[in-house]
Amino acid sequence: MKNSLFKRAIATAAAVPLALTQCLTYASAVSTDMIEAPAAVQAENDALTLESLLYIPADQTVSKWNMTVSNSLAAVQNRTGDLDITPYVEDIAGKAGAYSDAVKVILTKYIIPNGVTYEITGSNDIILKGKVTSPKQYDAYKGTPGEALKNVGDKYGVPGLINQVTFEDVDVSGEITVTIKASKLDTSTTVPVSVEFKTADGSYGIGQIPAWAKGKVLEIQAVAEKAIKEKVAADKVDAAIADYEAQIKKITDKLDKADAKIDSALKYSQSGDYANVAAIIAEANAKLAEKNFKKQIPATATDIATNATVAKAYDQALKIAAPNGEIAITAAELGAFADSIKDITASLAGGVGTGTGTFDDAEKDAVIAYYADGSKGFTVKDSYKQIKATVDFSGIKSVDAGSVDVQIERVLVTETTTTTSTTTTSTTTTTTTSTDTTTSTDTTTTSTETTTSTDTTTTSTETTSTDTTSTSTDTTTTSTTSMPADVTVTTSVVKSYVTADTDYAFYLNTEEEFDKAQVSNVILHTSYVEGYTIDGQTIITKEGEDIKDITADINFGSATPSNTYKQDNTTFKYSVPVYGADGVLTDNEGKNLTVTVYIGVKGDTNLDSVANAVDASQVLAFYAKTSTQGRAVYDVILSESKLVSTPDGLYEEFAAFLSDVHHDASVTVGRDAKKDSRSITANDASNILAYYSKRSADAYKDKTDKEIWDEVLSK
């Protein structure tokens, strides 16, 4: 994914999330330095050096840097504070290209005044937070909806139109929280990272921002078009609206492209071998040049580390992590170390990038001396260290963005040593003979068992035991025998289980009952025996099985769609136990009988557990393609969720179920209706927007989703 394209696309939608994201990117770099820097503080409390950071004792092969870092983080005294992002404004704005002015204003007016903070929690997690306030009026910065509105006003006889429109109903405020879960370093070298952009209409991962931004642009468009219709002369309105929509489409197209680039990066796969970091950078720059990108990555890691922006962030990190000079590692030294890594194997697949390389072992002489006596069965003639870094960004389209893992190990180059010795062997012989014979005869009236065992032991030895497995065959029969008149016959249940036919079904999280139609042909099988006991011996007189249809008696206990649904279940899939009169039903293997259900939020087209303008946009796009363009329903994908890959898959059908929020009262559409039997139109998009508007308003904060939907659909 081209980073500059992603940044510019986000900047297009008033640049709000972009600016904060870039700020926190630098802040994240600060905290990463905080994690790595204290990795091996020496016992004498000397300043930490790069050598001590990479140190592995001669008698060990695996670095325990994670434990050292965890202990060092626990000792940090400045556990909360502010991150001054003012020094980065020009750097960030400069990377935004044509949108630099907009980004600069957003940073200085809507982010910096709110503050960007850091916190190291009691468990050593590092949390970075920044807030964005929502502007009520937009300026005409290049490439933004504000510029498009100004252009239309100037062109169609309403100069200053942009100053006559307020956007109070379009809320782009939110809070970004970056959580670096350093608490995991107690037991692991992997550090999970989460990035949450929390807004009034839901939470988004960094990879979901383009889609969120597109939804906001569409909201802005609706407000602006209303103003155009009110302010522009009647004979020019249609032309003005068409002109404005064309300019907005350029913006939303860029956001679509950015979203597609994220998806492409998650699907991208490549691997290669490189002599060093410089070779990787050179290949990346060559590809950028092929695609006419003028910007190039600095040629070496040292060049990157000494970049003015990185240097400023690093210096700020040292002030936080080591205010008294406890760390003596410069950014240039870190860059030089990266440049020293050689024989690199790098790969990227499914949103997971892995790089493995080697570097010189500073303790090599001590390692060779440690193994010199050959007592370990070998000697060492050389050693080097291997570093493996894995960056998992496969979750970039969710709040749990991914993780970073770093492993450092020592590799020994050995020579085998041979030791010859003479051993005197003493042999003691033991002979054990054991014969076990068991004969068992079972009938319905008698039982005979004969066991013969002979054990003969002389001295002491070990023998091999051979096990013989017999095969038992159970046959269900019914037999009747004569019995004494004074005995009592009892009946015992041997086994009880059910067989049934089940099917999956879709539900809304506001529903209060599961549909029994998911389960049919529920047959209860009960195996039993009858018999009596006389003179200590049990006599079986009858074996049989009862079969009963209990379909009408089944239920789902206390489970309902509303109390089963969990917002963090990204698959929307649940297994619900089926109950009978005596409790949960089980199958022939003793497993609970369950049905599969998919539960989601009404109006949630893109399957992110929130119904908002993004979903309305996708419904409108689907409607346009299947109505005005005349394309078949199963030739068009409705949902842009990553769960959906084909226009006829299960999750596409689920999205259609959730999106079909409204239809004529004369039409009955069941939960099992297929996509081509549903009527997904502009009415659905309009209702989703109406719901979203009410859900976001303070007046409805105490209303349930069901209450709001009932109000929306009653009009």
Side-chain angles (χ1 to χ4, degrees):
M1 179 180 66
K2 302 178 183 68
N3 193 36
S4 60
L5 175 62
F6 174 65
K7 291 176 181 176
R8 293 183 184 186
I10 301 302
T12 304
V16 176
L18 167 67
L20 182 58
T21 300
Q22 291 186 338
C23 291
L24 290 180
T25 298
Y26 290 115
S28 181
V30 169
S31 293
T32 301
D33 291 332
M34 289 170 59
I35 289 177
E36 294 177 348
V41 177
Q42 296 168 317
E44 299 83 10
N45 292 321
D46 293 339
L48 178 68
T49 64
L50 185 60
E51 288 75 16
S52 59
L53 177 67
L54 301 174
Y55 175 76
I56 302 177
D59 61 340
Q60 299 177 25
T61 58
V62 179
S63 170
K64 297 179 181 178
W65 69 266
N66 54 306
M67 295 293 294
T68 308
V69 171
S70 182
N71 293 335
S72 299
L73 280 173
V76 173
Q77 295 181 355
N78 298 334
R79 304 190 74 81
T80 61
D82 297 321
L83 295 173
D84 181 13
I85 65 173
T86 305
Y88 312 120
V89 170
E90 294 297 332
D91 297 314
I92 297 170
K95 295 174 187 286
Y99 311 106
S100 60
D101 289 342
V103 171
K104 190 180 300 184
V105 170
I106 295 301
L107 283 169
T108 57
K109 190 174 181 180
Y110 300 110
I111 295 177
I112 290 177
N114 303 319
V116 177
T117 64
Y118 76 87
E119 176 191 1
I120 304 175
T121 68
S123 60
N124 293 334
D125 285 342
I126 300 170
I127 302 175
L128 307 155
K129 288 186 177 181
K131 293 182 179 179
V132 182
T133 50
S134 184
K136 295 181 180 180
Q137 203 157 22
Y138 293 148
D139 294 314
Y141 296 111
K142 185 174 178 60
T144 67
E147 182 192 42
L149 186 57
K150 180 182 183 301
N151 291 342
V152 168
D154 292 346
K155 184 175 179 180
Y156 294 95
V158 191
L161 175 59
I162 186 174
N163 299 319
Q164 302 176 42
V165 184
T166 60
F167 295 89
E168 294 179 341
D169 292 337
V170 183
D171 185 3
V172 295
S173 65
E175 181 178 71
I176 282 189
T177 302
V178 178
T179 304
I180 303 169
K181 299 178 182 177
S183 57
K184 300 296 183 182
L185 289 173
D186 283 341
T187 57
S188 172
T189 58
T190 300
V191 180
V193 178
S194 65
V195 182
E196 179 184 26
F197 181 42
K198 189 174 184 178
T199 70
D201 55 299
S203 294
Y204 303 89
I206 192 68
Q208 295 172 303
I209 288 180
W212 172 86
K214 179 180 178 181
K216 292 302 176 182
V217 169
L218 293 174
E219 289 183 52
I220 292 169
Q221 177 181 349
V223 174
E225 288 186 358
K226 180 180 179 181
I228 292 172
K229 291 176 182 178
E230 293 174 351
K231 304 292 184 181
V232 174
D235 60 334
K236 298 179 181 179
V237 166
D238 290 343
I241 292 291
D243 194 340
Y244 183 71
E245 288 181 347
Q247 294 184 62
I248 292 296
K249 189 175 187 304
K250 292 179 181 179
I251 297 173
T252 56
D253 283 349
K254 289 181 179 180
L255 291 167
D256 285 338
K257 192 172 184 180
D259 198 26
K261 288 295 181 182
I262 296 173
D263 290 335
S264 177
L266 291 173
K267 296 175 183 177
Y268 187 73
S269 178
Q270 184 177 351
S271 61
D273 297 322
Y274 306 88
N276 48 38
V277 172
I280 298 176
I281 295 174
E283 181 178 294
N285 280 333
K287 290 183 177 179
L288 289 173
E290 287 176 6
K291 298 184 178 181
N292 298 317
F293 276 81
K294 295 180 180 179
K295 291 185 178 180
Q296 294 280 285
I297 304 169
T300 67
T302 301
D303 292 337
I304 296 172
T306 54
N307 172 274
T309 302
V310 175
K312 281 186 286 191
Y314 185 81
D315 289 343
Q316 191 179 38
L318 290 186
K319 290 177 183 178
I320 295 172
N324 300 314
E326 299 92 337
I327 299 175
I329 304 174
T330 67
E333 284 180 312
L334 291 174
F337 165 66
D339 284 330
S340 74
I341 299 174
K342 55 192 176 182
D343 300 326
I344 298 172
T345 298
S347 65
L348 176 63
V352 179
T354 302
T356 303
T358 64
F359 60 98
D360 293 340
D361 185 358
E363 298 83 54
K364 181 175 72 172
D365 291 343
V367 173
I368 292 174
Y370 176 76
Y371 290 97
D373 63 1
S375 61
K376 304 294 188 294
F378 59 86
T379 58
V380 173
K381 62 179 182 179
D382 194 8
S383 69
Y384 58 89
K385 290 177 182 175
Q386 177 176 280
I387 184 169
K388 180 180 180 181
T390 302
V391 178
D392 182 350
F393 62 93
S394 59
I396 195 172
K397 282 205 163 185
S398 66
V399 170
D400 293 323
S403 63
V404 177
D405 179 79
V406 177
Q407 300 175 28
I408 302 174
E409 298 182 357
R410 170 178 287 123
V411 179
L412 304 176
V413 181
T414 64
E415 292 181 324
T416 304
T417 59
T418 304
T419 302
T420 304
S421 60
T422 303
T423 303
T424 303
T425 303
S426 176
T427 304
T428 303
T429 304
T430 299
T431 302
T432 300
T433 303
S434 178
T435 304
D436 291 335
T437 303
T438 301
T439 303
S440 178
T441 303
D442 294 331
T443 69
T444 57
T445 56
T446 60
S447 175
T448 304
E449 183 176 290
T450 303
T451 302
T452 304
S453 176
T454 304
D455 293 337
T456 304
T457 304
T458 53
T459 53
S460 175
T461 192
E462 294 182 1
T463 62
T464 302
S465 175
T466 302
D467 294 331
T468 302
T469 303
S470 61
T471 301
S472 175
T473 303
D474 294 332
T475 303
T476 301
T477 60
T478 301
S479 59
T480 305
T481 61
S482 58
M483 67 188 78
D486 58 346
V487 299
T488 301
V489 177
T490 59
T491 301
S492 301
V493 174
V494 177
K495 186 176 185 180
S496 179
Y497 66 95
V498 298
T499 57
D501 297 326
T502 63
D503 197 2
Y504 69 85
F506 299 149
Y507 294 90
L508 300 174
N509 70 328
T510 54
E511 294 186 75
E512 295 299 335
E513 190 175 8
F514 286 114
D515 190 349
K516 290 185 179 182
Q518 277 191 258
V519 191
S520 59
N521 299 322
V522 186
I523 306 300
L524 176 64
H525 301 258
T526 305
S527 301
Y528 66 91
V529 295
E530 292 181 358
Y532 60 92
T533 300
I534 188 170
D535 297 332
Q537 186 177 20
T538 298
I539 308 300
I540 303 300
T541 60
K542 183 179 180 181
E543 298 177 31
E545 180 181 75
D546 285 338
I547 296 176
K548 181 182 180 182
D549 189 328
I550 60 169
T551 305
D553 301 326
I554 65 102
N555 62 83
F556 301 99
S558 61
T560 67
S562 64
N563 66 26
T564 301
Y565 172 78
K566 304 296 180 186
Q567 190 173 22
D568 59 356
N569 182 351
T570 56
T571 68
F572 304 93
K573 183 179 180 180
Y574 305 85
S575 293
V576 180
V578 181
Y579 287 73
D582 298 321
V584 179
L585 300 175
T586 57
D587 62 17
N588 193 31
E589 297 179 354
K591 298 178 181 178
N592 287 350
L593 176 66
T594 62
V595 292
T596 298
V597 300
Y598 294 83
I599 310 172
V601 173
K602 193 182 189 77
D604 179 21
T605 306
N606 69 342
L607 303 183
D608 65 352
S609 296
V610 179
N612 55 27
V614 177
D615 304 295
S617 172
Q618 292 181 18
V619 169
L620 277 176
F622 176 79
Y623 174 62
K625 292 173 183 176
T626 56
S627 59
T628 59
Q629 297 179 19
R631 296 172 62 181
V633 167
Y634 281 116
D635 288 337
V636 179
I637 291 180
L638 163 67
S639 173
E640 296 180 15
S641 168
K642 65 180 180 180
L643 295 171
V644 175
S645 57
T646 63
D648 59 354
L650 184 145
Y651 281 103
E652 173 75 350
E653 295 285 0
F654 182 50
F657 165 76
L658 298 176
S659 303
D660 185 15
V661 300
H662 178 267
H663 47 78
D664 294 336
S666 60
V667 178
T668 300
V669 180
R671 71 177 69 255
D672 58 344
K674 294 298 183 182
K675 179 178 159 186
D676 58 355
S677 297
R678 297 187 179 278
S679 179
I680 300 174
T681 68
N683 286 333
D684 296 293
S686 176
N687 283 306
I688 292 171
L689 278 176
Y691 161 81
Y692 167 55
S693 176
K694 294 179 185 298
R695 181 75 284 173
S696 304
D698 287 342
Y700 286 83
K701 65 181 181 180
D702 295 326
K703 296 279 189 179
T704 66
D705 286 351
K706 186 177 187 305
E707 288 172 335
I708 296 175
W709 272 115
D710 287 345
E711 181 177 330
V712 168
L713 297 177
S714 66
K715 296 180 179 180

Tab-separated table of all heavy atoms in Angstrom, residues 598-631:
chain	number	residue	atom	x	y	z
A	598	TYR	N	-26.473	-16.748	13.163
A	598	TYR	CA	-25.678	-15.555	12.868
A	598	TYR	C	-26.490	-14.354	13.334
A	598	TYR	O	-27.627	-14.154	12.894
A	598	TYR	CB	-25.378	-15.452	11.375
A	598	TYR	CG	-24.490	-16.561	10.865
A	598	TYR	CD1	-25.025	-17.806	10.523
A	598	TYR	CD2	-23.121	-16.382	10.748
A	598	TYR	CE1	-24.219	-18.839	10.073
A	598	TYR	CE2	-22.298	-17.407	10.291
A	598	TYR	CZ	-22.853	-18.632	9.957
A	598	TYR	OH	-22.048	-19.652	9.509
A	599	ILE	N	-25.924	-13.573	14.255
A	599	ILE	CA	-26.656	-12.462	14.858
A	599	ILE	C	-25.923	-11.160	14.567
A	599	ILE	O	-24.713	-11.055	14.806
A	599	ILE	CB	-26.795	-12.643	16.380
A	599	ILE	CG1	-27.317	-14.053	16.716
A	599	ILE	CG2	-27.722	-11.592	16.968
A	599	ILE	CD1	-27.306	-14.364	18.197
A	600	GLY	N	-26.657	-10.159	14.059
A	600	GLY	CA	-26.026	-8.891	13.720
A	600	GLY	C	-26.904	-7.701	14.032
A	600	GLY	O	-28.015	-7.824	14.563
A	601	VAL	N	-26.389	-6.521	13.663
A	601	VAL	CA	-27.059	-5.251	13.932
A	601	VAL	C	-27.882	-4.839	12.712
A	601	VAL	O	-27.386	-4.857	11.587
A	601	VAL	CB	-26.010	-4.165	14.253
A	601	VAL	CG1	-26.662	-2.794	14.371
A	601	VAL	CG2	-25.258	-4.521	15.533
A	602	LYS	N	-29.108	-4.469	12.929
A	602	LYS	CA	-29.985	-4.026	11.842
A	602	LYS	C	-29.340	-2.838	11.125
A	602	LYS	O	-28.942	-1.859	11.750
A	602	LYS	CB	-31.347	-3.634	12.408
A	602	LYS	CG	-32.457	-3.441	11.370
A	602	LYS	CD	-33.742	-2.996	12.066
A	602	LYS	CE	-34.943	-3.003	11.131
A	602	LYS	NZ	-35.459	-4.339	10.880
A	603	GLY	N	-29.235	-2.932	9.795
A	603	GLY	CA	-28.652	-1.862	8.997
A	603	GLY	C	-27.151	-1.945	8.830
A	603	GLY	O	-26.548	-1.113	8.146
A	604	ASP	N	-26.502	-2.954	9.420
A	604	ASP	CA	-25.037	-3.083	9.364
A	604	ASP	C	-24.603	-3.789	8.080
A	604	ASP	O	-24.296	-4.978	8.073
A	604	ASP	CB	-24.535	-3.839	10.595
A	604	ASP	CG	-23.022	-4.036	10.591
A	604	ASP	OD1	-22.329	-3.272	9.889
A	604	ASP	OD2	-22.554	-4.955	11.281
A	605	THR	N	-24.547	-3.057	6.989
A	605	THR	CA	-24.218	-3.640	5.686
A	605	THR	C	-22.774	-4.120	5.621
A	605	THR	O	-22.479	-5.183	5.063
A	605	THR	CB	-24.471	-2.611	4.570
A	605	THR	OG1	-25.808	-2.138	4.675
A	605	THR	CG2	-24.244	-3.219	3.198
A	606	ASN	N	-21.843	-3.342	6.159
A	606	ASN	CA	-20.429	-3.698	6.038
A	606	ASN	C	-19.925	-4.578	7.177
A	606	ASN	O	-18.725	-4.829	7.313
A	606	ASN	CB	-19.564	-2.444	5.930
A	606	ASN	CG	-19.523	-1.647	7.223
A	606	ASN	OD1	-20.370	-1.817	8.097
A	606	ASN	ND2	-18.544	-0.769	7.349
A	607	LEU	N	-20.823	-5.057	8.001
A	607	LEU	CA	-20.524	-6.052	9.039
A	607	LEU	C	-19.412	-5.602	9.982
A	607	LEU	O	-18.444	-6.334	10.232
A	607	LEU	CB	-20.159	-7.407	8.392
A	607	LEU	CG	-21.206	-7.997	7.448
A	607	LEU	CD1	-20.767	-9.359	6.939
A	607	LEU	CD2	-22.565	-8.099	8.122
A	608	ASP	N	-19.563	-4.400	10.538
A	608	ASP	CA	-18.633	-3.947	11.566
A	608	ASP	C	-19.350	-3.710	12.889
A	608	ASP	O	-18.839	-3.044	13.780
A	608	ASP	CB	-17.902	-2.680	11.126
A	608	ASP	CG	-18.838	-1.482	10.953
A	608	ASP	OD1	-20.073	-1.677	11.021
A	608	ASP	OD2	-18.340	-0.369	10.729
A	609	SER	N	-20.570	-4.240	12.997
A	609	SER	CA	-21.380	-4.180	14.226
A	609	SER	C	-21.904	-2.786	14.539
A	609	SER	O	-22.285	-2.510	15.679
A	609	SER	CB	-20.592	-4.726	15.428
A	609	SER	OG	-20.302	-6.088	15.242
A	610	VAL	N	-21.933	-1.899	13.546
A	610	VAL	CA	-22.479	-0.555	13.712
A	610	VAL	C	-23.270	-0.201	12.457
A	610	VAL	O	-22.839	-0.507	11.339
A	610	VAL	CB	-21.364	0.495	13.921
A	610	VAL	CG1	-21.967	1.885	14.059
A	610	VAL	CG2	-20.531	0.163	15.149
A	611	ALA	N	-24.423	0.425	12.624
A	611	ALA	CA	-25.199	0.914	11.480
A	611	ALA	C	-25.007	2.420	11.380
A	611	ALA	O	-25.367	3.152	12.295
A	611	ALA	CB	-26.676	0.585	11.656
A	612	ASN	N	-24.398	2.864	10.271
A	612	ASN	CA	-24.123	4.295	10.125
A	612	ASN	C	-24.121	4.695	8.655
A	612	ASN	O	-24.583	3.942	7.783
A	612	ASN	CB	-22.800	4.665	10.801
A	612	ASN	CG	-21.633	3.838	10.294
A	612	ASN	OD1	-21.647	3.351	9.153
A	612	ASN	ND2	-20.621	3.661	11.112
A	613	ALA	N	-23.555	5.858	8.362
A	613	ALA	CA	-23.573	6.383	6.997
A	613	ALA	C	-22.778	5.517	6.024
A	613	ALA	O	-23.076	5.488	4.830
A	613	ALA	CB	-23.018	7.808	6.993
A	614	VAL	N	-21.769	4.832	6.520
A	614	VAL	CA	-20.991	3.946	5.652
A	614	VAL	C	-21.883	2.846	5.086
A	614	VAL	O	-21.822	2.511	3.896
A	614	VAL	CB	-19.802	3.330	6.426
A	614	VAL	CG1	-19.040	2.354	5.537
A	614	VAL	CG2	-18.876	4.426	6.922
A	615	ASP	N	-22.729	2.288	5.931
A	615	ASP	CA	-23.649	1.240	5.483
A	615	ASP	C	-24.664	1.797	4.485
A	615	ASP	O	-24.961	1.155	3.466
A	615	ASP	CB	-24.377	0.644	6.697
A	615	ASP	CG	-23.411	0.109	7.732
A	615	ASP	OD1	-22.706	-0.859	7.419
A	615	ASP	OD2	-23.361	0.667	8.825
A	616	ALA	N	-25.173	2.986	4.761
A	616	ALA	CA	-26.120	3.613	3.833
A	616	ALA	C	-25.476	3.823	2.466
A	616	ALA	O	-26.115	3.617	1.420
A	616	ALA	CB	-26.603	4.947	4.403
A	617	SER	N	-24.221	4.210	2.469
A	617	SER	CA	-23.494	4.421	1.213
A	617	SER	C	-23.391	3.130	0.406
A	617	SER	O	-23.589	3.114	-0.814
A	617	SER	CB	-22.094	4.962	1.518
A	617	SER	OG	-21.304	5.001	0.355
A	618	GLN	N	-23.100	2.026	1.087
A	618	GLN	CA	-22.968	0.749	0.380
A	618	GLN	C	-24.313	0.265	-0.145
A	618	GLN	O	-24.384	-0.331	-1.226
A	618	GLN	CB	-22.317	-0.282	1.311
A	618	GLN	CG	-20.867	0.049	1.628
A	618	GLN	CD	-20.195	-0.969	2.525
A	618	GLN	OE1	-20.660	-2.097	2.685
A	618	GLN	NE2	-19.080	-0.587	3.110
A	619	VAL	N	-25.379	0.512	0.596
A	619	VAL	CA	-26.725	0.154	0.115
A	619	VAL	C	-27.068	0.956	-1.130
A	619	VAL	O	-27.584	0.416	-2.127
A	619	VAL	CB	-27.774	0.385	1.222
A	619	VAL	CG1	-29.185	0.288	0.646
A	619	VAL	CG2	-27.601	-0.637	2.341
A	620	LEU	N	-26.763	2.255	-1.098
A	620	LEU	CA	-27.046	3.108	-2.258
A	620	LEU	C	-26.263	2.650	-3.483
A	620	LEU	O	-26.791	2.623	-4.602
A	620	LEU	CB	-26.705	4.561	-1.933
A	620	LEU	CG	-27.767	5.368	-1.185
A	620	LEU	CD1	-27.240	6.750	-0.865
A	620	LEU	CD2	-29.053	5.466	-1.998
A	621	ALA	N	-24.994	2.300	-3.286
A	621	ALA	CA	-24.167	1.846	-4.404
A	621	ALA	C	-24.724	0.561	-5.004
A	621	ALA	O	-24.780	0.393	-6.243
A	621	ALA	CB	-22.732	1.635	-3.934
A	622	PHE	N	-25.153	-0.346	-4.138
A	622	PHE	CA	-25.745	-1.606	-4.603
A	622	PHE	C	-27.034	-1.338	-5.382
A	622	PHE	O	-27.265	-1.902	-6.461
A	622	PHE	CB	-26.028	-2.505	-3.395
A	622	PHE	CG	-26.732	-3.789	-3.724
A	622	PHE	CD1	-26.039	-4.872	-4.247
A	622	PHE	CD2	-28.099	-3.921	-3.500
A	622	PHE	CE1	-26.691	-6.059	-4.548
A	622	PHE	CE2	-28.761	-5.096	-3.801
A	622	PHE	CZ	-28.053	-6.169	-4.326
A	623	TYR	N	-27.867	-0.453	-4.844
A	623	TYR	CA	-29.129	-0.127	-5.496
A	623	TYR	C	-28.896	0.498	-6.872
A	623	TYR	O	-29.588	0.168	-7.847
A	623	TYR	CB	-29.933	0.820	-4.609
A	623	TYR	CG	-31.206	1.332	-5.245
A	623	TYR	CD1	-32.221	0.442	-5.619
A	623	TYR	CD2	-31.402	2.687	-5.467
A	623	TYR	CE1	-33.391	0.905	-6.202
A	623	TYR	CE2	-32.570	3.150	-6.050
A	623	TYR	CZ	-33.563	2.258	-6.419
A	623	TYR	OH	-34.720	2.707	-7.003
A	624	ALA	N	-27.908	1.384	-6.952
A	624	ALA	CA	-27.612	2.035	-8.234
A	624	ALA	C	-27.184	1.010	-9.281
A	624	ALA	O	-27.591	1.072	-10.447
A	624	ALA	CB	-26.527	3.085	-8.042
A	625	LYS	N	-26.384	0.049	-8.875
A	625	LYS	CA	-25.874	-0.945	-9.820
A	625	LYS	C	-26.965	-1.918	-10.273
A	625	LYS	O	-26.952	-2.383	-11.414
A	625	LYS	CB	-24.710	-1.714	-9.187
A	625	LYS	CG	-23.465	-0.866	-8.975
A	625	LYS	CD	-22.398	-1.622	-8.191
A	625	LYS	CE	-21.195	-0.743	-7.915
A	625	LYS	NZ	-20.175	-1.425	-7.078
A	626	THR	N	-27.889	-2.227	-9.373
A	626	THR	CA	-28.913	-3.230	-9.712
A	626	THR	C	-30.186	-2.611	-10.283
A	626	THR	O	-31.037	-3.340	-10.785
A	626	THR	CB	-29.277	-4.051	-8.467
A	626	THR	OG1	-29.694	-3.167	-7.409
A	626	THR	CG2	-28.082	-4.876	-7.999
A	627	SER	N	-30.314	-1.300	-10.192
A	627	SER	CA	-31.523	-0.658	-10.741
A	627	SER	C	-31.184	0.163	-11.969
A	627	SER	O	-31.530	-0.213	-13.098
A	627	SER	CB	-32.190	0.214	-9.672
A	627	SER	OG	-31.294	1.210	-9.213
A	628	THR	N	-30.477	1.268	-11.775
A	628	THR	CA	-30.188	2.140	-12.926
A	628	THR	C	-29.251	1.476	-13.930
A	628	THR	O	-29.338	1.721	-15.137
A	628	THR	CB	-29.576	3.460	-12.435
A	628	THR	OG1	-28.375	3.185	-11.707
A	628	THR	CG2	-30.548	4.205	-11.540
A	629	GLN	N	-28.328	0.637	-13.441
A	629	GLN	CA	-27.406	-0.044	-14.355
A	629	GLN	C	-27.944	-1.386	-14.836
A	629	GLN	O	-27.374	-1.991	-15.740
A	629	GLN	CB	-26.037	-0.244	-13.680
A	629	GLN	CG	-25.337	1.061	-13.327
A	629	GLN	CD	-24.013	0.832	-12.637
A	629	GLN	OE1	-23.430	-0.259	-12.717
A	629	GLN	NE2	-23.505	1.847	-11.943
A	630	GLY	N	-28.996	-1.857	-14.205
A	630	GLY	CA	-29.651	-3.078	-14.651
A	630	GLY	C	-28.866	-4.361	-14.427
A	630	GLY	O	-29.131	-5.378	-15.070
A	631	ARG	N	-27.917	-4.365	-13.504
A	631	ARG	CA	-27.116	-5.573	-13.270
A	631	ARG	C	-27.877	-6.542	-12.366
A	631	ARG	O	-28.661	-6.146	-11.501
A	631	ARG	CB	-25.777	-5.198	-12.646
A	631	ARG	CG	-24.916	-4.342	-13.562
A	631	ARG	CD	-23.683	-3.805	-12.871
A	631	ARG	NE	-22.802	-4.878	-12.430
A	631	ARG	CZ	-21.657	-4.667	-11.770
A	631	ARG	NH1	-21.301	-3.431	-11.473
A	631	ARG	NH2	-20.898	-5.670	-11.411
